[in-house]
Amino acid sequence: VSTQSTGRYSYNSCTHTVGGSNDWRRLNLGQQYHFSKVVSYNRQDCCQNRINGATVSTVLGSQKTECGTVAYQGGTNVYEIVCGGTTGNLADSIKIEKSGIITLCEVDVYGSLITDLYLI
């Protein structure tokens, strides 16, 4: 999202929540996509375990579909969560949430824009 994946908070490439019981960050893209994966870059200068347990979901209106949950591993700076495989999940936003502080230092979202929707 910031196009910087330095993992250093002092470089203004990271953001975090305040640490409530249902903290979240949501990226609304304004159009519908088939999301295939979300790649999250972890903070490297401190507090690396804050990413543990963060759940990544796609959202379309009031419908939320869980893609997966990050399992923190020491020394790992990049986490990839697959959202629906090759066809992806139809949605207009990505939500990352957990109980407690979430620190994100870059989030890359992969998918394809839906240009035509057909109702059958």
Side-chain angles (χ1 to χ4, degrees), residues 65-85:
T65 303
E66 185 177 314
C67 297
T69 301
V70 175
Y72 170 72
Q73 297 176 10
T76 301
N77 296 321
V78 181
Y79 294 89
E80 182 177 306
I81 302 293
V82 175
C83 294

Side-chain angles (χ1 to χ4, degrees), residues 65-111:
T65 303
E66 185 177 314
C67 297
T69 301
V70 175
Y72 170 72
Q73 297 176 10
T76 301
N77 296 321
V78 181
Y79 294 89
E80 182 177 306
I81 302 293
V82 175
C83 294
T86 56
T87 59
N89 287 342
L90 177 63
D92 61 8
S93 59
I94 295 289
K95 187 172 185 180
I96 301 173
E97 60 189 321
K98 72 174 251 186
S99 179
I101 299 172
I102 307 168
T103 301
L104 303 169
C105 291
E106 175 66 18
V107 176
D108 296 333
V109 179
Y110 295 85

Side-chain angles (χ1 to χ4, degrees), residues 11 17 25 27-28 30 59 84 92 109 114:
Y11 290 5
T17 60
R25 289 287 187 249
L27 173 63
N28 189 333
V59 181
D92 61 8
V109 179
I114 305 302

